[in-house]
Amino acid sequence: MRIQKHHPRVEKTGQSAARVWLRALRLHFVLPSILPALLGGVMAWAGGHPLNGLHLALVVIGVTVNHFGLNLVDDVLDYRHTVDLQIGGEKNFFTGGSGVLPEGLLKESRMLTAAALFFAATAGIGIYLAWTCGWPVLALGIFGMACSIFYTAPPIRFGYRGAGELGLLVNFGPVILLGSYFVQARSLAYEPLIASLVPGLLMASMILINEIPDYEVDRRAGKWNLVARFGRKAGAVLYGIGLVSAYGILILSAAAGVLSPFVLLGLASLPLAFKSLFILCRHLNDPLAMAPANLAIIKVHALTVTSMVAAYLIEVLIAAQAFIC
């Protein structure tokens, strides 16, 4: 039985349909899918495998539309479970869903239909790539899509059971990056696996800091993520551990020669990481004042992983120059 939501319905604001849908898709959270896909392809290229531009483009499109489906399903099911009901000035822009449902801007049925279309597109791309590149693509794709659906969908709803953070680490790190790498290389290797932990840990950190403003709402709705279970302070500690782990892997792997030394370009995001931690600790109990910290981790992820992509493009250029000479 669906819980009755006692929330005032907001009249439509006159926003264009396109703008409403863009808001529902939450584009600011989609780069964490695209960048690991690019990194996996570029790492394979730097490793001496020919780059198939079409296949790389299909991987990027596939993970993007899958993320769109995830965002829409998550929005609808959280709304049904009375999680994401805050609107306007009540909520931190980066948490609590897109807000299009409590504001009456879209219907649940339309969002679920769109999600189904996005997942169908993902499946089609995955089947094609599995047919052309090998069955591991299909295995990784099925796992990733299932996690996207059952993050909030019953009966699993692992995002409600304290496993969502780990699920995002695995899916937005190893699953996407290794899948993209395999499409190009037709094999797996430990180097992309190690590299994948960096975007994975940063994504897990992103979800942790986004759960902190929703602490009270999530507890009332029975969404028992790690922050709801253990509290805001524990969430802040886990967030810090995630950041330290990501940068630690980056530094140690470069020093050990496991990853390209140029990945240290990713340390350019450290000031933003410190900024996010400072704001988080200062405004731990103030969701609205915490918003700049939520924005900062999005920038940290984007800058760090983009720098890693650039690092392996540099390796490609160095190899090409050596070949020419």
Side-chain angles (χ1 to χ4, degrees), residues 9 21 24 32 100 129 131 158 164 185 206 213 227 243 246 269 277 309 324:
R9 189 167 183 82
W21 276 105
V100 298
L129 290 175
W131 177 59
F158 67 90
M206 190 184 301
V227 173
L243 291 178
S269 64
L277 271 172
V309 174
I324 293 171

Side-chain angles (χ1 to χ4, degrees), residues 2-325:
R2 188 183 302 181
I3 300 172
Q4 181 67 34
K5 295 181 276 291
H6 300 289
H7 197 285
R9 189 167 183 82
V10 179
E11 293 183 2
K12 293 180 174 59
T13 61
Q15 297 181 50
S16 68
R19 188 169 181 177
V20 170
W21 276 105
L22 288 174
R23 180 177 163 188
L25 294 175
R26 289 183 278 174
L27 298 181
H28 49 284
F29 287 130
V30 177
L31 268 182
S33 282
I34 295 172
L35 292 176
L38 291 175
L39 180 56
V42 171
M43 288 187 74
W45 192 17
H49 303 283
L51 182 69
N52 187 314
L54 173 61
H55 287 173
L56 180 59
L58 287 174
V59 170
V60 170
I61 293 169
V63 298
T64 300
V65 295
N66 181 73
H67 201 140
F68 288 161
L70 164 64
N71 284 346
L72 293 175
V73 169
D74 178 66
D75 233 14
V76 171
L77 295 182
D78 274 351
Y79 178 71
R80 287 182 177 180
H81 290 100
T82 70
V83 176
D84 294 338
L85 300 183
Q86 295 167 300
I87 61 172
E90 300 175 5
K91 69 186 291 291
N92 180 322
F93 175 77
F94 300 100
T95 67
S98 68
V100 298
L101 287 172
E103 293 182 28
L105 300 175
L106 283 176
K107 294 181 179 179
E108 295 178 28
S109 58
R110 294 188 67 190
M111 293 179 71
L112 290 177
T113 298
L117 292 174
F118 285 131
F119 285 133
T122 304
I125 291 171
I127 291 170
Y128 171 77
L129 290 175
W131 177 59
T132 56
C133 303
W135 68 265
V137 177
L138 187 61
L140 290 168
I142 290 173
F143 178 81
M145 188 184 298
C147 287
S148 296
I149 295 171
F150 291 110
Y151 180 72
T152 49
I156 300 175
R157 298 172 64 201
F158 67 90
Y160 281 65
R161 305 178 192 275
E165 299 82 3
L166 177 61
L168 292 180
L169 189 161
V170 171
N171 280 281
F172 289 86
V175 171
I176 293 178
L177 199 152
L178 289 177
S180 181
Y181 182 91
F182 184 89
V183 164
Q184 302 296 330
R186 306 294 198 276
S187 63
L188 298 174
Y190 71 90
E191 183 179 2
L193 175 61
I194 298 299
S196 73
L197 297 177
V198 176
L201 284 163
L202 291 177
M203 186 60 179
S205 298
M206 190 184 301
I207 193 65
L208 278 164
I209 196 173
N210 288 348
E211 289 168 352
I212 292 173
D214 295 335
Y215 171 73
E216 296 290 351
V217 174
D218 286 346
R219 285 178 64 87
R220 286 197 299 268
K223 188 174 184 179
W224 294 104
N225 52 54
L226 293 183
V227 173
R229 286 175 183 270
F230 301 112
R232 294 186 181 96
K233 289 184 179 179
V237 170
L238 289 172
Y239 176 71
I241 291 173
L243 291 178
V244 170
S245 299
Y247 286 114
I249 289 171
L250 205 63
I251 294 169
L252 293 176
S253 298
V258 176
L259 300 181
S260 165
F262 298 112
V263 298
L264 294 178
L265 292 169
L267 297 180
S269 64
L270 265 174
L272 282 170
F274 283 123
K275 176 183 178 181
S276 71
L277 271 172
F278 175 77
I279 296 172
L280 173 61
C281 293
R282 186 175 182 181
H283 300 291
L284 189 60
N285 297 307
D286 188 340
L288 295 181
M290 196 190 303
N294 300 105
L295 175 59
I297 185 58
I298 295 173
K299 294 179 178 179
V300 166
H301 185 289
L303 181 55
T304 305
V305 187
T306 298
S307 297
M308 295 176 73
V309 174
Y312 281 93
L313 285 175
I314 292 172
E315 294 285 0
V316 170
L317 292 174
I318 291 173
Q321 185 178 22
F323 177 78
I324 293 171
C325 295

